[in-house]
Amino acid sequence: MDIITQVLNFGAGPAKLPPSVLLEAQKELIDYKGLGISVLEMSHRSSDFTKILNTAEVFMRELLNIPDNYKVLFLQGGGSGQFSAVPLNLIGLKEAKSADYIITGAWSAKAAKEAEKYGKVKLVYPKLASYTEIPDPSSWNLDPEASYVYYCANETVHGVEFQDIPDVNGAVLVCDMSSNFLSRPVDISKFGLIFAGAQKNIGCAGVTVVIVREDLMGFALKECPTILDYKIQAGNGSLYNTPPCFSIYITGLVLEWIKNNGGAKCMEKLSIMKSEMIYNIIDESSGLFVCPVEKKSRSRMNIPFRIGSITGDGALEREFLAKAAALGMMSLKGHRSVGGIRASLYNAVTVDDVEKLADFMRHFKETHQS
Ligand code: PMP
């Protein structure tokens, strides 16, 4: 197993998978459970694939305690596909065809822009000058006529994460949980809909999980493409069209791994431990490492920081990345739109991996502050 883990992958997604999952997939790649064929070659309507799909759903329901009045869908199109699917399915819930968006970073901003194509989009507070905080809910302006309220639980690029589910006065709450899904327990009953691309915490690219309350289905706009219509996908058990079979199989293996490792509660405990390790070094670095995000909105999953100053010293950051790469630590470069450094600490990234990064950061600080 060590062969696979020699490199430390701090990528933002697609991201590290548990080595045991990769080994299992490797073992089963050519001959899945003695069938003589691969999951890659299997009909999505075969009884064997049905078992794979059902098992993934059972693990998901168990891990998140999903109430019976919610459907679990496994769809294609990624998080970005859901930026369209959400308004296409839900903006027509009320006559005003309007939705409230809470924008805390690049991904919620993109979602709002996409929704504008299908209805009215209202921002619950004016556009922020920088994505480094979550404005206090007392300043939010929620529209009672909105069909739903949308937010992104964890902004992968800017490292801003909600620590609690926002209180939206009983409105239908829609959440993009792509980058912190199953990294903590969550009360599904508080949501109308949750979606999450798998490629960060629960698998590889290709499948997007949608958890949707049943009574919200059946309101799709007439121009909604059939494959994006939740009611049709739910009515067909996610098999209206060919699903991303292999990605679903991998997600099933990762969900089983999460279950065997203590479930969402344990993932949360570890993610608190891992993120505190890095934030502590940042905060105790006398300004060498600078995280722009206000403390109470800091992400446990994606830690963006600059080196040398709040705008970053290019030479120092290049040196940091080069030295990290020489130690086998990859994908620490910040998103191209913000620069700097970003360490992503998803479920499969171990405490040991993070300790190595922490040691390296401490050493970097010592050699640059004498
Ligand atoms: N939402 C969030 C929070 C993301 O991090 C991403 C991708 N990094 C997306 C949506 C878009 O996902 P995709 O690339 O699968 O469309």
Side-chain angles (χ1 to χ4, degrees), residues 317-334:
E317 290 180 347
R318 278 192 296 278
E319 183 190 338
F320 181 92
L321 290 170
K323 288 191 164 152
L327 293 168
M329 298 180 194
M330 59 181 284
S331 299
L332 280 165
K333 198 167 180 196

Side-chain angles (χ1 to χ4, degrees), residues 77-81 83 107 152 154 156 176 178-179 199-200:
S80 306
F83 295 168
W107 291 110
C152 176
N154 182 67
T156 323
D176 173 1
S178 293
S179 54
Q199 66 268 29
K200 291 134 193 330

Side-chain angles (χ1 to χ4, degrees), residues 305-317:
F305 62 93
R306 306 302 308 233
I307 306 181
S309 75
I310 185 81
T311 48
D313 175 318
L316 275 180
E317 290 180 347

Side-chain angles (χ1 to χ4, degrees), residues 107-352:
W107 291 110
S108 44
K110 267 197 165 177
K113 194 152 186 283
E114 190 68 17
E116 281 170 5
K117 294 180 184 168
Y118 310 110
K120 260 180 269 157
V121 166
K122 291 189 180 156
L123 308 189
V124 308
Y125 46 75
K127 188 177 177 331
L128 301 173
S130 66
Y131 295 129
T132 53
E133 59 170 335
I134 299 171
D136 193 84
S138 63
S139 70
W140 298 0
N141 187 10
L142 295 171
D143 176 6
E145 289 312 308
S147 293
Y148 62 87
V149 180
Y150 180 103
Y151 80 110
C152 176
N154 182 67
E155 286 285 354
T156 323
V157 172
H158 291 91
V160 173
E161 183 173 18
F162 280 79
Q163 299 308 325
D164 300 295
I165 299 170
D167 178 2
V168 291
N169 303 330
V172 171
L173 186 60
V174 173
C175 181
D176 173 1
M177 262 184 215
S178 293
S179 54
N180 67 354
F181 194 60
L182 270 167
S183 70
R184 58 171 79 207
V186 58
D187 180 355
I188 301 290
S189 72
K190 294 250 167 38
F191 295 87
L193 183 143
I194 293 168
F195 69 86
Q199 66 268 29
K200 291 134 193 330
N201 269 317
I202 57 155
C204 62
V207 61
T208 307
V209 173
V210 176
I211 302 171
V212 54
R213 215 173 67 206
E214 279 169 354
D215 63 302
L216 300 176
M217 300 191 303
F219 297 91
L221 304 181
K222 66 174 181 347
E223 56 269 45
C224 179
T226 310
I227 56 156
L228 296 185
D229 186 323
Y230 299 134
K231 186 160 192 202
I232 290 177
Q233 285 289 6
N236 287 278
S238 303
L239 297 173
Y240 173 78
N241 64 319
T242 314
C245 303
F246 197 77
S247 303
I248 293 170
Y249 158 70
I250 295 290
T251 287
L253 294 180
V254 176
L255 295 176
E256 185 176 14
W257 174 86
I258 294 176
K259 185 183 162 183
N260 292 340
N261 283 276
K265 263 210 174 105
C266 263
M267 294 301 122
E268 176 173 51
K269 213 172 99 197
L270 290 170
S271 88
I272 291 172
M273 199 190 292
K274 291 183 289 184
S275 57
E276 280 184 353
M277 243 193 272
I278 301 302
Y279 282 123
N280 286 344
I281 292 174
I282 290 172
D283 292 339
E284 288 160 14
S285 71
S286 315
L288 180 68
F289 301 122
V290 187
C291 173
V293 182
E294 64 158 12
K295 283 197 178 165
K296 65 178 174 20
S297 306
R298 283 177 171 180
S299 168
R300 295 174 187 163
M301 298 284 105
N302 312 96
I303 305 184
F305 62 93
R306 306 302 308 233
I307 306 181
S309 75
I310 185 81
T311 48
D313 175 318
L316 275 180
E317 290 180 347
R318 278 192 296 278
E319 183 190 338
F320 181 92
L321 290 170
K323 288 191 164 152
L327 293 168
M329 298 180 194
M330 59 181 284
S331 299
L332 280 165
K333 198 167 180 196
H335 189 270
R336 61 190 186 284
S337 64
V338 294
I341 316 293
R342 171 176 54 174
S344 296
L345 312 179
Y346 299 125
N347 288 342
V349 175
T350 64
V351 171
D352 190 53

Side-chain angles (χ1 to χ4, degrees), residues 36-65:
I37 60 165
S38 170
V39 176
L40 290 161
E41 304 165 299
M42 199 180 274
S43 162
H44 58 294
R45 308 213 180 266
S46 66
S47 61
D48 294 291
F49 183 73
T50 304
K51 233 183 266 168
I52 290 172
L53 186 63
N54 291 346
T55 307
E57 178 170 345
V58 167
F59 281 133
M60 185 81 79
R61 286 190 176 276
E62 197 182 325
L63 286 166
L64 287 169
N65 230 333

Side-chain angles (χ1 to χ4, degrees), residues 1-10 16 19 324-330 352-353 356:
M1 210 175 283
D2 279 352
I3 297 169
I4 311 180
T5 54
Q6 268 171 3
V7 162
L8 304 179
N9 182 358
F10 294 104
K16 182 179 178 184
L327 293 168
M329 298 180 194
M330 59 181 284
D352 190 53
D353 294 347
K356 289 192 176 115

